[in-house]
Amino acid sequence: MITFIISAIIVGAITGGLGRLLIPGRQEIGMVATIIAGIVAAFVGSGIAYLLGFEDKTWIVLIVQLVLAVICVGVVSNSKGAKQGRG
């Protein structure tokens, strides 16, 4: 269980960081929000790839996870900007 949590945090950090790099401009979110967005993207992306029958194609799973990470980071960044009155 601990290994699963640690690996989820590591994958989330990498996926969230890459997703953040792919969005142009500056995102006003912190490291914890980036990791959480990456974890969500990794889990949902793996689930979508599994439902589509691509669980054995690692590169397709990674592409789906990265696309979802970009979307998650963008949503978190925009929602934080809207709360601060910059939306």
Side-chain angles (χ1 to χ4, degrees), residues 61-78:
V61 175
L62 291 175
I63 290 172
V64 172
Q65 290 174 345
L66 281 177
V67 169
L68 288 175
V70 169
I71 292 169
C72 286
V73 169
V75 167
V76 171
S77 179
N78 285 337

Side-chain angles (χ1 to χ4, degrees), residues 23-45:
I23 297 176
R26 181 175 171 91
Q27 293 79 41
E28 298 292 332
I29 62 173
M31 183 177 67
V32 173
T34 301
I35 291 173
I36 291 172
I39 291 171
V40 169
F43 281 123
V44 174

Side-chain angles (χ1 to χ4, degrees), residues 46-70:
S46 296
I48 290 173
Y50 177 76
L51 289 174
L52 295 174
F54 293 117
E55 68 273 2
D56 57 339
K57 307 245 191 282
T58 306
W59 61 276
I60 293 177
V61 175
L62 291 175
I63 290 172
V64 172
Q65 290 174 345
L66 281 177
V67 169
L68 288 175
V70 169

